Amino acid sequence: MNIGEVATASGLPAKTIRYYEDIGLLRAARGANGYRHFDDRDVRMLSFVSRARSLGFSIDDCRSLLSLYADRDRASADVKRIAREHLTGIAKKITELEAMRDTLEDLVSRCQGDDHPDCPILDGLAGAEVPQ
Amino acid sequence: MNIGEVATASGLPAKTIRYYEDIGLLRAARGANGYRHFDDRDVRMLSFVSRARSLGFSIDDCRSLLSLYADRDRASADVKRIAREHLTGIAKKITELEAMRDTLEDLVSRCQGDDHPDCPILDGLAGAEVPQ
DNA sequence: CATAATCCTTCCAGTAGATGGAAGGTCAAG
DNA sequence: CTTGACCTTCCATCTACTGGAAGGATTATG
């Protein structure tokens, strides 16, 4: 399989796959013409990475997960730890975004949104009191 | 005021303030010794940016907001539009993160987390069925 | 068989938003 | 006078790609 086919199969752009090779996430075999070629294992591996990335795992997380994935003797506890740490990070981001949303919703709701220059949003951003 | 004092007053690192000058978000006056110096207006402006950034507005949003902030004749509707667009973006991110969290929580809850190699998390990432 | 379209290669640059560090000038205190 | 804190510029680095140019390989069409 050439890179284009793998891109379609794995859901990752060809550019991204080359990039992953560049940073050592994978090694690709080369044909006589210099083209990379891939087998089903590569496709599975790239799909794995694609899924993990879409769940917000960093490239470094992916490296760890891939080595655990490849290691027949790994303990599931190791994987669970990485996933748990990641969950904590996600939960924190959600909390922060919700706080942003609440503040901003409050500011927006106070704003008339008309031709007048008075704007509670700008006032709020400028540091004026924004009571609960 | 020197940059360090402004950094303390605005809550932004000095490095960040220099960076903001670099990208043209602000212009700083210079003393005879080459040191930047700032007045209260600058501090207010930087606090404004600091707040907007912490609410997730991009630097470009900040540019728009600052020019609206400085414009006595602006309509609050303009500000409201920017804030609303931003709210939509935040809501989308929250939804995505919640979906991630749910999938990952499901995978984690299925994982024994022991010494055994069977791991539903890796299976899930590898593309196995993860029923609702 | 010629040619055009598509696919592949490498390499370089850029994105957002800073942050870290080196090398060196300035200033205030003791 | 020296020490240390603070300031300056410049260059590199981070994450995770993405875009594009220049050019070679392959495939499809006339």
Side-chain angles (χ1 to χ4, degrees):
Chain A
M1 283 168 116
N2 285 342
I3 200 167
E5 217 174 331
V6 175
T8 308
S10 68
L12 290 169
K15 258 216 135 135
T16 301
I17 296 171
R18 285 190 203 103
Y19 170 71
Y20 285 168
E21 190 191 15
D22 221 50
I23 61 171
L25 201 58
L26 67 95
R27 265 149 285 130
R30 298 294 180 126
N33 54 7
Y35 285 18
R36 290 165 184 85
H37 58 86
F38 303 86
D39 57 22
D40 288 353
R41 236 172 64 97
D42 296 319
V43 174
R44 277 199 300 280
M45 181 270 192
L46 285 166
S47 304
F48 181 99
V49 172
S50 175
R51 283 199 139 213
R53 291 285 305 129
S54 78
L55 283 175
F57 285 96
S58 70
I59 294 283
D60 258 15
D61 287 337
C62 288
R63 261 185 237 275
S64 310
L65 289 171
L66 279 175
S67 68
L68 291 169
Y69 182 51
D71 178 7
R72 300 204 142 266
D73 296 328
R74 90 259 158 165
S76 63
D78 293 339
V79 184
K80 193 162 186 169
R81 185 182 42 75
I82 295 178
R84 273 242 190 75
E85 284 170 11
H86 187 50
L87 260 180
T88 307
I90 291 176
K92 192 163 158 250
K93 271 184 204 152
I94 290 176
T95 306
E96 284 169 6
L97 282 170
E98 282 171 348
M100 274 183 211
R101 183 196 54 193
D102 294 348
T103 303
L104 207 54
E105 257 170 8
D106 182 53
L107 293 175
V108 166
S109 75
R110 287 156 190 267
C111 177
Q112 303 278 349
D114 54 20
D115 288 345
H116 292 88
D118 308 295
C119 181
I121 298 173
L122 291 182
D123 293 345
L125 289 173
E129 288 291 308
V130 182
Q132 313 287 13
Chain B
M1 284 166 112
N2 284 341
I3 200 168
E5 218 174 330
V6 175
T8 307
S10 68
L12 288 169
K15 251 206 139 147
T16 302
I17 297 171
R18 285 191 202 103
Y19 169 70
Y20 286 168
E21 190 190 15
D22 222 52
I23 61 171
L25 200 58
L26 66 96
R27 265 150 285 129
R30 297 295 178 124
N33 54 9
Y35 285 18
R36 288 165 183 85
H37 58 84
F38 304 86
D39 57 23
D40 288 352
R41 238 173 61 97
D42 296 319
V43 174
R44 277 199 300 281
M45 180 269 191
L46 284 167
S47 304
F48 181 99
V49 172
S50 175
R51 283 197 139 216
R53 290 286 303 129
S54 79
L55 284 174
F57 286 96
S58 69
I59 295 283
D60 259 17
D61 288 337
C62 289
R63 263 185 237 274
S64 311
L65 288 171
L66 279 175
S67 68
L68 291 169
Y69 181 52
D71 179 6
R72 300 205 143 264
D73 297 328
R74 91 262 159 164
S76 63
D78 292 338
V79 184
K80 193 162 185 168
R81 185 183 42 74
I82 294 179
R84 272 243 189 74
E85 284 170 11
H86 188 51
L87 260 179
T88 307
I90 290 177
K92 193 162 159 250
K93 271 185 203 152
I94 290 176
T95 306
E96 284 168 7
L97 282 171
E98 282 171 348
M100 273 183 212
R101 184 195 54 194
D102 294 348
T103 304
L104 208 53
E105 257 170 7
D106 183 52
L107 293 175
V108 165
S109 75
R110 288 157 191 265
C111 176
Q112 301 277 351
D114 55 19
D115 288 344
H116 292 88
D118 309 295
C119 181
I121 298 172
L122 292 182
D123 293 345
L125 290 174
E129 288 292 308
V130 181
Q132 316 284 16

